[in-house]
Amino acid sequence: MASAMRSVLSRGYASAASTVKAPIQLNSLTGTYATSTYLAALKKSPKDLESLAKDIEAFDKKIKEDAKVNAFIQNPTLSASQRSSALSSILPSGSSPILLNLLTVLSENGRLSSAPRVFQDFGSLISAYRGELEVTVTSADALDNKALNRIEKALKDTEIAKGKTLKVVNRVNPSVLGGLLVDFGDKSIDLSASSKVNRFNAALTQGV
């Protein structure tokens, strides 16, 4: 993972890690890419970091909504040169060079398909930087704003949320079989039907 960080920082941002620190520690490989990208932008200036955050959010949305861009990101058959030549063309004009740098390093390392996960980890970093508490609500189907607002209101007065701005993010995962998974800070609340099924199956197994 250290080599992944060096790869991103070495492209003109090698001194970033020596003067700034990430607000939270992410131990996964995608977290390492996200952290090195965060450090590179913050080393330049807080303004560059916020600009990068906007560009990442916009490009992440483009991957989700544009089938061609998503197919390119996920295509494992493209050569390194094909991916490299296409990257500049699919990024919106005026995007942060640090974003292009990140995507280039992911492409060269054969991990371009991991970009959405890297963006998700970067989102966790930027939320912590802004003093936000990111609340991830996983559901089988997308929730409407009314449901998300109810969850936000329920968590707003909890001890862990004091002094923080809540940022509620809805992720869709059909495997939860209804109900919800709510993750915030170091807490996790499993209200999914799948967890109930698993507990029931475990009880049956123990009783046999």
Side-chain angles (χ1 to χ4, degrees):
M1 289 194 291
S3 61
M5 181 175 287
R6 286 195 297 271
S7 295
V8 179
L9 294 176
S10 64
R11 294 172 181 270
Y13 311 108
S15 62
S18 62
T19 56
V20 294
K21 293 182 179 180
I24 56 175
Q25 184 174 345
L26 301 176
N27 296 318
S28 64
L29 180 57
T30 55
T32 300
Y33 281 109
T35 299
S36 60
T37 303
Y38 169 92
L39 293 174
L42 186 56
K43 171 61 179 178
K44 296 187 72 177
S45 74
K47 183 178 179 180
D48 282 280
L49 178 62
E50 292 290 354
S51 178
L52 173 63
K54 290 180 181 178
D55 289 343
I56 284 180
E57 184 177 354
F59 189 61
D60 189 37
K61 183 178 180 181
K62 187 174 183 179
I63 292 174
K64 292 180 173 69
E65 297 178 351
D66 190 320
K68 290 184 178 179
V69 173
N70 184 63
F72 166 74
I73 293 293
Q74 299 297 331
N75 191 342
T77 66
L78 295 176
S79 66
S81 60
Q82 287 175 317
R83 290 194 299 268
S84 178
S85 61
L87 280 174
S88 296
S89 64
I90 65 173
L91 279 175
S93 177
S95 294
S96 168
I98 300 177
L99 175 55
L100 176 58
N101 171 48
L102 168 63
L103 294 173
T104 299
V105 172
L106 289 172
S107 175
E108 290 175 351
N109 293 343
R111 298 185 180 277
L112 192 57
S113 62
S114 297
R117 176 61 187 172
V118 175
F119 295 161
Q120 182 178 328
D121 287 339
F122 181 89
S124 297
L125 288 165
I126 200 71
S127 289
Y129 168 78
R130 292 169 178 165
E132 299 171 340
L133 175 62
E134 187 172 86
V135 180
T136 302
V137 182
T138 305
S139 54
D141 298 298
L143 300 176
D144 59 24
N145 288 334
K146 187 176 181 180
L148 293 175
N149 287 338
R150 285 201 303 269
I151 294 171
E152 181 177 352
K153 185 176 180 180
L155 296 174
K156 194 172 183 180
D157 295 327
T158 60
E159 188 66 30
I160 195 172
K162 285 185 178 179
K164 296 182 174 66
T165 300
L166 293 184
K167 179 184 177 183
V168 181
V169 179
N170 183 206
R171 305 197 191 285
V172 176
N173 183 352
S175 68
V176 301
L177 302 177
L180 302 171
L181 292 172
V182 183
D183 295 291
F184 57 105
D186 59 352
K187 307 293 183 183
S188 183
I189 304 173
D190 191 344
L191 304 174
S192 67
S194 61
S195 69
K196 296 175 183 177
V197 170
N198 290 337
R199 287 198 297 268
F200 178 68
N201 288 338
L204 286 177
T205 301
Q206 292 172 0
V208 171

